[in-house]
Amino acid sequence: MTVGDPEGPKGRFRNKLREKDLIVTVELSPPKGTATEEILLHADLLREKVDAFNVTDNQRAIMRMSPLALSHLLKERGLEPILQLTCRDRNRLALQSELLSAYALGIENFCFMTGDHPLLGDHPTGKPVYDCDSVQLISLARGLERGEDFAGRKLSGVPSFVIGAVANPLAEPLEPQLIKLRKKVAAGIEFIQTQPIFDQEPLEKFLEMTSGLNVRFLIGITPLKSARMVEFMNHKILVKPIPMAVAERINKAKDPVREGITIAAELMAKIKSYVSGFHIMPIGLERELPELFEQAGI
Amino acid sequence: MIISQQKLLPDILQSLDGSDVVVIIGCGTCATQCHAGGEEEVQDMKRELEGVGKAVPLSFVLESVCTTQKTKKELTKKSTFIEEADAILVMSCGVGVQTVAELTEKPVFPALDTLFIGSLRRVGHYEELCALCGQCILEYTGGICAINQCSKGLLNGPCGGSKQGKCEIIDDRDCGWYLIYERLKQRGKLYLMEMIHQPQDFSKGQHPQKITLGREMLKKK
Ligand code: SF4
Ligand code: SF4
């Protein structure tokens, strides 16, 4: 592919999004340190089924290697990254230059989010930035595609991005989040990756409420692996607790990891006919994903 | 108003170590409202200082210490006392302390910590309500400040961390955007929340600031 050439051949993720095929993305976290081998190995094992890998950006405000570096390493291996970019650590200059840098390295997919507050992470004494919010960051990126930076200055060489954002079907209350989602769509996103869901019913409600939006939803899936993880997710991550029936199955299982994969696969199999795709957040279960895909019939 | 709080007495005494004669100046505006530097607090401070053996030949409350010209006049009137003092203890916000420090060569010490600008909800309860951003957007947010009430100062709605109306960073803090949403909904103005707001112009919030306002200037605008 000719980098920077808007007419050049585009990636698998972009094509599948536009052709409305079922998409599978998997989240990878850069290392805290410099050891990338294992992460890249995991990605390699998933090459066939996975269309693109989200590379997180100091996720949960925990300092790690930059997603730009890991995205580049994936790209070098012929794998497709989706670079996650938060508004927490960079002002409008740094955000724009990050987008241009990534594009120069052949990275075209991005997922934008506000980013967890530094107080929640491992550097709580750091200064939060939030110069832009997620909606503004989308506009900023779309602006670059028109050949101008935020200040209205002309660019030499114009990028072409595939831009997505995040949403939580289980948000409580949902309406203010839906307003924000509509603004993200209006600002120019093509896909949404959702927070993990654990049952069908609230998802269906959410999809119905957002059916008028011209955007593709990749549904968040996190296989549960232990009773402790259920506890942790309920307390630290999720807005609504994991359904009792699901938690019970994990608690009672002889092999909770297998059970977690089966639960996730059952859900995926049930909903795959009416969603645009899946966004898997494996949290340490990367090696089990081939089994997940097989059980889900993907 | 400017919310301030008295420093701990040992800290004040430490700063006054070696100053035997102290003049105390209180402020009749915000610091009085905050019960941090009004008549009563100035009298209490005088007693405390005398209690540790210092002399307080003069203690008084100015209407508002931050009004430079008036404060200058008052300090000139009282210059004989001030000449004799080893230090001046100012019981006002940081602006008042700086105003006095500019007008005298005597060592000037702050007795209060200046916290934020906010409102007096009821006796003893103060709440920060404005972050002095320099480009007020309250008209879009139902009169609730997104810059100040949202922990991230977001302009286009809640982040994903908003849970049951609470902010992701502290469980007992209301999510500013939840409050804005509720207010706009109540008033039938949710359409304001659907508008996309561009990033703020931080060049307007540069500090320190100086402006000149007057009839002449306003006419020109
Ligand atoms: S928008 Fe700015 S000026 Fe208006 S109340 Fe908030 S911080 Fe103050
Ligand atoms: S939870 Fe609400 S107040 Fe807290 S940062 Fe997010 S939007 Fe702002």
Side-chain angles (χ1 to χ4, degrees):
Chain A
M1 150 182 181
T2 324
V3 171
D5 174 6
E7 299 308 317
K10 296 300 179 192
R12 168 168 163 184
F13 182 67
R14 183 191 293 252
N15 289 334
K16 276 198 149 187
L17 256 186
R18 298 197 175 155
E19 282 158 20
K20 304 214 160 41
D21 286 344
L22 191 78
I23 293 165
V24 178
T25 59
V26 167
E27 181 175 288
L28 297 176
S29 292
K32 193 175 188 74
T34 57
T36 53
E37 303 77 19
E38 200 186 341
I39 299 165
L40 293 169
L41 189 78
H42 286 151
D44 252 328
L45 292 174
L46 297 166
R47 176 182 294 273
E48 197 197 322
K49 295 278 187 209
V50 176
D51 299 306
F53 294 90
N54 279 58
V55 185
T56 59
D57 179 16
N58 292 331
Q59 190 182 9
R60 301 185 52 236
I62 292 171
M63 190 287 297
R64 287 165 179 275
M65 178 187 285
S66 151
L68 184 62
L70 192 63
S71 296
H72 173 66
L73 295 175
L74 287 170
K75 193 83 198 163
E76 272 187 341
R77 278 160 182 73
L79 297 165
E80 203 165 320
I82 298 174
L83 194 151
Q84 292 192 179
L85 209 52
T86 73
C87 305
R88 178 191 50 240
D89 309 323
R90 301 174 187 83
N91 70 4
R92 62 197 73 180
L93 277 85
L95 287 167
Q96 292 178 97
S97 85
E98 195 82 342
L99 287 166
L100 295 177
S101 307
Y103 194 74
L105 295 171
I107 299 159
E108 59 173 358
N109 310 316
F110 295 87
C111 182
F112 296 149
M113 56 203 79
T114 310
D116 289 335
H117 197 282
L119 282 172
L120 302 183
D122 65 356
H123 285 64
T125 51
K127 186 177 184 184
V129 180
Y130 304 113
D131 185 27
C132 298
D133 61 29
S134 52
V135 174
Q136 293 159 349
L137 176 52
I138 297 162
S139 308
L140 202 110
R142 289 300 183 208
L144 295 177
E145 288 181 316
R146 290 190 294 271
E148 270 189 6
D149 69 9
F150 180 77
R153 302 287 166 99
K154 277 227 159 349
L155 303 180
S156 65
V158 176
S160 162
F161 303 128
V162 180
I163 298 173
V166 293
N168 188 357
L170 305 180
E172 189 58 60
L174 189 56
E175 177 62 16
Q177 298 288 343
L178 288 179
I179 295 175
K180 181 118 182 225
L181 173 57
R182 288 197 284 273
K183 289 163 91 161
K184 289 177 182 177
V185 174
I189 52 164
E190 292 163 73
F191 68 95
I192 280 285
Q193 291 172 314
T194 80
Q195 299 291 326
I197 62 145
F198 297 91
D199 57 0
Q200 211 173 338
E201 197 207 320
L203 173 68
E204 281 173 6
K205 224 173 86 192
F206 175 77
L207 291 176
E208 199 187 302
M209 291 174 90
T210 53
S211 60
L213 295 177
N214 183 21
V215 66
R216 303 200 62 203
F217 287 96
L218 311 182
I219 306 307
I221 299 286
T222 290
L224 298 165
K225 54 184 173 189
S226 64
R228 241 186 75 206
M229 180 177 176
V230 173
E231 275 287 295
F232 175 78
M233 297 284 290
N234 282 346
H235 284 106
K236 296 272 177 197
I237 312 277
L238 302 173
V239 175
K240 270 193 198 137
I242 291 165
M244 282 301 276
V246 172
E248 283 286 282
R249 278 179 70 180
I250 296 291
N251 292 344
K252 287 195 179 134
K254 277 212 187 69
D255 183 347
V257 171
R258 289 275 93 64
E259 187 67 9
I261 293 288
T262 303
I263 294 171
E266 285 170 8
L267 179 62
M268 288 166 73
K270 268 192 251 169
I271 65 178
K272 69 178 177 193
S273 62
Y274 61 83
V275 301
S276 298
F278 295 106
H279 175 53
I280 322 283
M281 292 159 270
I283 323 189
L285 291 187
E286 290 80 4
R287 284 174 185 277
E288 323 299 324
L289 295 189
E291 189 190 328
L292 174 72
F293 297 140
E294 193 180 319
Q295 282 193 38
I298 287 171
Chain B
M1 71 174 148
I2 296 175
I3 312 300
S4 57
Q5 195 179 31
Q6 218 173 88
K7 287 175 178 287
L8 296 175
L9 191 65
D11 294 341
I12 296 175
L13 291 179
Q14 198 185 359
S15 69
L16 291 175
D17 194 28
S19 308
D20 298 326
V21 183
V22 180
V23 165
I24 305 175
I25 304 176
C27 178
T29 312
C30 307
T32 292
Q33 290 285 320
C34 294
H35 299 287
E39 265 326 327
E40 218 175 290
E41 293 76 36
V42 166
Q43 286 315 309
D44 287 347
M45 184 60 71
K46 178 171 163 27
R47 267 194 299 279
E48 294 287 357
L49 296 190
E50 286 170 348
V52 296
K54 296 188 190 298
V56 182
L58 174 69
S59 62
F60 61 104
V61 174
L62 286 173
E63 190 185 320
S64 54
V65 187
C66 58
T67 317
T68 309
Q69 291 312 319
K70 277 194 188 163
T71 299
K72 187 176 183 178
K73 233 188 240 162
E74 287 302 316
L75 293 188
T76 313
K77 264 194 227 159
K78 298 181 163 86
S79 59
T80 37
F81 289 102
I82 291 171
E83 284 309 314
E84 273 172 33
D86 297 321
I88 303 175
L89 183 67
V90 182
M91 300 181 71
S92 76
C93 74
V95 179
V97 179
Q98 294 187 55
T99 307
V100 175
E102 201 178 278
L103 295 171
T104 164
E105 279 172 16
K106 292 282 170 185
V108 173
F109 296 104
L112 313 184
D113 287 321
T114 308
L115 302 176
F116 52 82
I117 71 168
S119 73
L120 170 59
R121 294 302 200 186
R122 60 195 154 89
V123 181
H125 294 259
Y126 306 91
E127 204 177 319
E128 181 173 358
L129 292 177
C130 170
L132 308 169
C133 78
Q135 37 182 334
C136 201
I137 51 145
L138 285 170
E139 74 266 35
Y140 302 119
T141 54
I144 296 171
C145 175
I147 310 294
N148 191 240
Q149 299 293 300
C150 166
S151 306
K152 298 174 186 169
L154 306 177
L155 294 184
N156 283 297
C159 74
S162 178
K163 262 191 215 173
Q164 272 101 21
K166 298 295 173 192
C167 176
E168 72 175 19
I169 70 163
I170 309 171
D171 284 344
D172 65 4
R173 180 182 292 177
D174 289 330
C175 165
W177 271 103
Y178 175 74
L179 299 177
I180 294 168
Y181 163 74
E182 284 293 329
R183 169 82 57 87
L184 291 174
K185 188 166 95 173
Q186 205 182 54
R187 304 201 175 161
K189 293 204 160 161
L190 271 182
Y191 65 90
L192 288 172
M193 204 171 148
E194 305 265 0
M195 293 165 57
I196 293 184
H197 298 290
Q198 290 310 306
Q200 277 202 304
D201 176 355
F202 285 98
S203 69
K204 290 186 180 161
Q206 279 303 311
H207 299 287
Q209 299 202 5
K210 252 188 209 177
I211 55 165
T212 309
L213 285 181
R215 281 213 191 103
E216 290 302 304
M217 291 302 293
L218 289 172
K219 250 186 242 161
K220 269 191 220 158
K221 262 195 165 179

